[in-house]
Amino acid sequence: RGMVPFVVIIGAVLGSMYAGIATPTEAAAIGAVSAFALCLLRGKLSWRALMEIAYDSAKVTALLLLIVVGAGIFSWVFDYLRLPREVVNLIEGADFSPIVVMGAMVLIYLVLGMFVESIAMMLMIGAAFAMVVMTIRKERRAEAAAKQSSATLEEITSCNS
């Protein structure tokens, strides 16, 4: 009997997603509305409880925004120190294969993901990794163009012989 409200909320959230009625974000809103409706139906919601819920929500939102602002400042410092460019120069100088570079990026995200919130993590190192990926992409295109032109040159010389 005590589990019925939880089952109803879970059913509403998962049911709306699996039925194709709602996206995950919309399903979260459905869960919040169904929890609110259940509280009203059971008579457990008072103005004081509603104010406490609003206060707790504001605290959590402020904390998350503080993390995002801190990550934005950290990202700005990264750019000011030209750290993304130095990382690209380091990778170019070491001549790592693209697979090794991508593996290192995944490991860095994995380790940071243990300690840093996801949006903040993306803000902190997203610019550096974007430059690394663009550099690898340019190098791969240059290699492919060089192979294509050498193959074409070989075809031309073999036809003339």
Side-chain angles (χ1 to χ4, degrees), residues 124-144:
M124 284 191 310
I125 60 175
F129 281 2
M131 287 184 71
V132 168
V133 169
M134 287 190 302
T135 301
I136 290 172
R137 189 173 175 195
K138 286 178 187 175
E139 289 174 0
R140 299 285 288 189
R141 284 186 177 171
E143 289 172 7

Side-chain angles (χ1 to χ4, degrees), residues 19-153:
I21 299 169
T23 64
T25 304
E26 293 165 341
I30 289 171
V33 168
S34 60
F36 182 74
L38 281 172
C39 284
L40 283 177
L41 289 174
R42 296 178 84 197
K44 300 283 185 180
L45 190 63
S46 65
W47 282 108
R48 182 176 178 173
L50 195 58
M51 291 305 292
E52 287 178 13
I53 292 168
Y55 180 71
D56 288 342
S57 296
K59 284 194 310 189
V60 170
T61 302
L63 179 65
L64 288 174
L65 287 176
L66 185 64
I67 290 171
V68 169
V69 167
I73 292 169
F74 194 71
S75 177
W76 180 83
V77 170
F78 263 25
D79 287 342
Y80 182 77
L81 295 174
R82 301 189 191 281
L83 203 59
R85 185 76 245 162
E86 293 303 318
V87 169
V88 168
N89 291 339
L90 175 73
I91 291 171
E92 285 177 343
D95 198 32
F96 291 125
S97 73
I99 298 294
V100 171
V101 174
M102 293 302 287
M105 289 169 57
V106 168
L107 283 175
I108 290 170
Y109 271 128
L110 185 67
V111 171
L112 279 177
M114 294 178 197
F115 306 105
V116 181
E117 198 266 330
S118 60
I119 294 173
M121 182 173 54
M122 294 296 180
L123 286 172
M124 284 191 310
I125 60 175
F129 281 2
M131 287 184 71
V132 168
V133 169
M134 287 190 302
T135 301
I136 290 172
R137 189 173 175 195
K138 286 178 187 175
E139 289 174 0
R140 299 285 288 189
R141 284 186 177 171
E143 289 172 7
K147 286 180 184 177
Q148 181 68 30
S149 62
S150 68
T152 306
L153 184 60

Side-chain angles (χ1 to χ4, degrees), residues 9-24 26-31:
I9 293 171
I10 291 170
V13 171
L14 293 179
S16 65
M17 283 194 300
Y18 285 127
I21 299 169
T23 64
E26 293 165 341
I30 289 171

